[in-house]
Amino acid sequence: MYAIAVANQKGGVGKTTLATTLAVCFANEGLSTLLIDADPQASALGFRARRAEEGVEPDVSCVQILDSTIHLEVPRLRFDRIVIDTGARDSKVFRSALLAADLVIVPMCPGYYDLWASFHTFEVLSEIRLNRPSQKVLPMFNLVIPNTRIAADAMSAKTDVETQFKLRFMDAYLCSRVAHKGVVATGRTVFELNGRDRDPKAVDEFTAFYTELKECMSV
């Protein structure tokens, strides 16, 4: 069993879309996968419900846990992969989700404010890693608007985060694309769109992200 949390106390960074797409990717590989919704907004739970209504395969099991017992429950679960979609504020539930994870992905939008707003998340993770020294933390840029000055500046400023918290950003990043926003209502991912709705760039970007993630998991 390998547990991954998608976490950032900054809202609007695309955590749920990232978590749900990741869970589907694992399931497509034939891995038994559980998606844990640890966010009171229950967006991941809604995604799975819509997916079931649409009859999209593979099905992904999903449960909501809003108690601070996630780190106690996860080791008892019999799944190959567990993906945890966390809420956007510091809480006992948030910290429990982090404590349960073998690896934590920290998505953030490229911008100085988003970098600064993510600092507390990294501080909490530093505390968590005192109890889980083997835990891997992967910050990455999400919802990037290509060819903009703010994106370029933020990406060049990532070294401040890497130096202060002794982390390394993922090389892969995901751009802000309509395809990611349009799939939620259908319970699908960008990989499952066809015809005019399919966005090859969105597929290629997530494929690169997924490939790098699996490499990090195997190290």
Side-chain angles (χ1 to χ4, degrees):
M1 185 272 291
Y2 199 98
I4 298 173
V6 181
N8 194 332
Q9 293 169 21
K10 173 75 171 61
V13 296
K15 292 190 295 292
T16 299
T17 300
L18 189 60
T20 53
T21 306
L22 188 56
V24 171
C25 285
F26 286 134
N28 269 322
E29 290 194 3
L31 299 167
S32 58
T33 304
L34 176 66
L35 181 61
I36 296 180
D37 193 332
D39 186 349
Q41 293 185 3
S43 297
L45 202 64
F47 171 88
R48 192 272 171 180
R50 187 58 176 162
R51 189 174 180 83
E53 290 171 3
E54 293 282 326
V56 184
E57 295 291 341
D59 190 17
V60 176
S61 299
C62 183
V63 295
Q64 187 176 44
I65 304 178
L66 298 179
D67 298 319
S68 56
T69 58
I70 300 173
H71 64 291
L72 300 176
E73 299 292 338
V74 164
R76 303 172 185 170
L77 301 173
R78 297 294 179 260
F79 287 87
D80 297 322
R81 299 289 183 268
I82 295 176
V83 181
I84 309 170
D85 182 27
T86 69
R89 67 182 184 87
D90 193 0
S91 66
K92 291 182 179 179
V93 178
F94 179 79
R95 292 179 180 241
S96 179
L98 297 183
L99 193 57
D102 299 295
L103 183 150
V104 181
I105 301 169
V106 185
M108 63 188 74
C109 300
Y112 286 111
Y113 177 71
D114 290 272
L115 283 174
W116 296 333
S118 300
F119 270 37
H120 185 60
T121 298
F122 292 122
E123 289 170 351
V124 172
L125 282 165
S126 295
E127 296 175 21
I128 294 293
R129 291 169 78 187
L130 294 176
N131 294 309
R132 291 212 60 170
S134 63
Q135 184 182 76
K136 299 175 183 178
V137 177
L138 296 177
M140 54 87 67
F141 285 117
N142 195 22
L143 302 177
V144 175
I145 301 176
N147 304 316
T148 60
R149 177 65 180 273
I150 189 171
D153 288 348
M155 288 183 176
S156 64
K158 68 183 182 182
T159 53
D160 293 338
V161 175
E162 293 178 324
T163 301
Q164 182 170 344
F165 297 102
K166 296 180 175 60
L167 300 171
R168 180 182 176 278
F169 269 73
M170 296 183 71
D171 293 325
Y173 60 87
L174 303 176
C175 292
S176 178
R177 301 197 183 278
V178 174
H180 284 294
K181 299 176 182 178
V183 293
V184 177
T186 63
R188 289 174 171 81
T189 69
V190 292
F191 294 99
E192 297 161 321
L193 298 177
N194 297 304
R196 294 175 60 183
D197 293 329
R198 189 171 180 83
D199 185 340
K201 290 184 178 180
V203 171
D204 289 346
E205 288 165 1
F206 206 96
T207 298
F209 162 77
Y210 187 55
T211 299
E212 184 178 350
L213 174 64
K214 289 194 295 181
E215 291 173 354
C216 293
M217 291 171 60
S218 64
V219 175

